[in-house]
Each structure stands twice: as structure tokens, then as C-alpha cells.
Amino acid sequence: MASVQIRGVQKYFGGTHVIRGVDIDIEDGQFAVLVGPSGCGKSTLLRMLAGLEEISSGDIAIGGRTVNDVEPKERDIAMVFQNYALYPHMTVFDNMAFSLMLAKTDKALIKERVDKASSILGLGKLLDRYPRQLSGGQRQRVAMGRAIVRNPQVFLFDEPLSNLDAKLRVQMRAEIKELHQRLRTTSVYVTHDQIEAMTMGDRIVVMRDGVVEQQGKPLELYDH
Ligand code: ADP
Ligand code: ADP
């Protein structure tokens, strides 16, 4: 677990000022949701946390360490994407194991991590399947498994449920919350869906046009 601090962060794409001075504090173990309309800068902010996008000014610290110039793979984070980004030619096991294999993690430890993640996610019987043989919900679980096995200090979720149908979306929200209650890993979750934000977040950050409009616990937020 780790706290996350975002201090005076700005982002320009060419001459366009898309993040216009943002301060956010996320405590150890919190589940923070960034919510706001499409185009307000949520993904850009998340990608800056991941190190996938440079910050134009300001500071980002993870676990008390400023990471502005730290490469993505040197940051102790794992990201779960909307489009799953699973490798089609690899089994469920290999999809989950792959980043650990690249990092030359010991084989026995890889197996232990994958077994633990798949039991948490109910994927134990599907380890030999390929992504095309899985349902949408199962694919999303594998994508989460890939993040869990890395045992990161922080999970970053980029609209992970927006490709799922409404019923599955509700079910997966509950599963992600249970996962968080179990692992207590600090999480930053991006969504444009206000109901999703209010049901999932224990800290909500409302963004609009590149600034934070308000932030706090769900019950502390005011209505417009
Ligand atoms: P959100 O995730 O809230 O939908 P984004 O962070 O994706 O918003 O985008 C914020 C703004 O930045 C949008 O106006 C978008 O068009 C712009 N933007 C995002 N990525 C780039 C890029 N690589 N180059 C130029 N503009 C970008
Ligand atoms: P590639 O993109 O080269 O096909 P990976 O995505 O598995 O392979 O890994 C590339 C690098 O990104 C690795 O060094 C790994 O540490 C890191 N990485 C892998 N998965 C994630 C993730 N979910 N979130 C953040 N970083 C990741």
C-alpha cells in the first residue's frame, strides 16, 4: 500500500492546456475514483500517475517518493485497462504470468502469485483457456489478475467496465470492491459514470475541464 500525492500538476498537449493545476491526496489503502465528463482529463491524469504521459509541471509522489522522472516499469503500480489488452495467443495462465516472466521472476513464485490471483478471481478452472474462449467478465478478471500478480503498491483502473453490459457491470463493481476489501491496495479508478463513482469510491474526485471541481468522501460531496 502507498499514499498518492498530486501537487500542482498541469499538462499541455501542444498549446492545449488539458490539466490546469490539480491537487489530489489519496491515503494508503483508499479507493479513489476520478469522475467527470468525457474529455475532462481523467485518463491523462491516470496516465501521468502510470508514467505513460509526461507531466508539464507539478509533482506526483507514490509512497512518499516523487516519481516525475521515473519510468513506468520502475513505478510500483499496475494498470487495468478498458480493452483488457490480453495477449490472444497466450493462455490465461501465461497472460497473468507474462510480466513476471519478463521481469525474470522465479518460476515457483510466478506460479504461487498466479494461483493466488486466480483463486481470488475465480479463474482457477480457466487457466488453460485462451482469451477468445472466455466471456467478457472472465476476460476482465484476467486483466485484473495480471495487475494483482505484480503485487503493486497502487492499482490504476482506466474505465475497466465500460465495455461490459449493464448487468455484468454491476456485478463486476461489487467484485472489484470485494477485491479491494481483501487486498486493501491503494486504488485510483477512472469512470465517467457518477453512480459507479458513488458506489465504489471511498474518496471521490470530481473533475471538469482539467481541474478538480470537488473531492471528498461520497457523503461530503455537494450536488449541483
Ligand atoms: P477523459 O479521460 O476525461 O475523457 P482525456 O484525459 O482522455 O479525458 O482527455 C483530456 C483532453 O485532452 C481532451 O480534450 C483530449 O482530446 C485531449 N487529449 C488527450 N490525449 C491527447 C493527446 N495525446 N494529444 C492531444 N490531445 C489529447
Ligand atoms: P509488452 O508491453 O512488452 O508486451 P508487458 O505489458 O507485459 O509486455 O510488460 C512491459 C512492461 O510493462 C514490463 O516491464 C512490466 O513491468 C510493465 N507492465 C506489465 N503489465 C503492467 C501493468 N498492468 N501495469 C503497469 N505496468 C505493467
Side-chain angles (χ1 to χ4, degrees):
M1 293 204 305
S3 61
V4 173
Q5 278 100 31
I6 299 175
R7 289 273 177 273
V9 165
Q10 307 202 46
K11 177 70 184 179
Y12 289 88
F13 283 114
T16 317
H17 200 183
V18 298
I19 303 290
R20 301 183 294 131
V22 163
D23 294 281
I24 300 172
D25 272 294
I26 301 166
E27 290 165 24
D28 245 10
Q30 249 178 354
F31 196 101
V33 179
L34 306 184
V35 61
S38 175
C40 72
K42 306 178 297 292
S43 294
T44 302
L45 202 53
L46 199 72
R47 290 170 57 78
M48 292 193 288
L49 283 173
L52 298 172
E53 203 72 76
E54 271 187 42
I55 64 181
S56 304
S57 67
D59 289 295
I60 294 180
I62 297 176
R65 167 192 182 216
T66 302
V67 294
N68 297 8
D69 299 320
V70 176
E71 294 273 314
K73 62 170 179 263
E74 305 298 333
R75 298 186 184 198
D76 201 355
I77 55 101
M79 193 146 169
V80 180
F81 299 94
Q82 171 182 144
N83 57 6
Y84 319 124
L86 301 183
Y87 302 109
H89 58 289
M90 287 188 199
T91 63
V92 167
F93 183 96
D94 287 342
N95 263 286
M96 288 202 263
F98 188 62
S99 82
L100 298 179
M101 277 154 57
L102 284 186
K104 307 221 184 324
T105 307
D106 174 71
K107 281 230 168 67
L109 182 60
I110 293 180
K111 185 164 186 321
E112 189 185 311
R113 294 263 189 95
V114 172
D115 283 347
K116 182 173 172 215
S118 48
S119 101
I120 292 175
L121 294 164
L123 291 170
K125 297 205 168 81
L126 304 175
L127 291 173
D128 293 329
R129 294 223 192 153
Y130 289 87
R132 68 185 141 76
Q133 300 171 308
L134 303 176
S135 70
Q138 289 165 340
R139 284 181 202 165
Q140 192 56 57
R141 284 187 200 102
V142 178
M144 287 194 272
R146 286 213 309 205
I148 293 171
V149 296
R150 294 159 53 78
N151 205 13
Q153 284 192 309
V154 178
F155 287 131
L156 304 176
F157 295 93
D158 193 1
E159 305 236 9
L161 307 184
S162 47
N163 284 341
L164 304 178
D165 66 49
K167 189 167 163 229
L168 190 55
R169 198 152 63 225
V170 170
Q171 183 189 328
M172 294 300 291
R173 280 178 198 160
E175 287 188 23
I176 292 174
K177 278 303 278 181
E178 275 168 36
L179 183 70
H180 177 252
Q181 265 141 24
R182 180 153 174 177
L183 301 176
R184 289 280 164 206
T185 306
T186 308
S187 300
V188 186
Y189 186 104
V190 161
T191 180
H192 61 269
D193 183 329
Q194 293 189 24
I195 294 175
E196 192 157 293
M198 296 305 259
T199 53
M200 297 188 74
D202 38 50
R203 180 169 194 85
I204 317 273
V205 179
V206 182
M207 292 185 65
R208 185 175 304 271
D209 291 338
V211 297
V212 172
E213 197 172 61
Q214 51 173 334
Q215 57 183 315
K217 298 199 171 76
L219 293 173
E220 292 168 0
L221 301 182
Y222 53 87
D223 230 344
H224 281 275

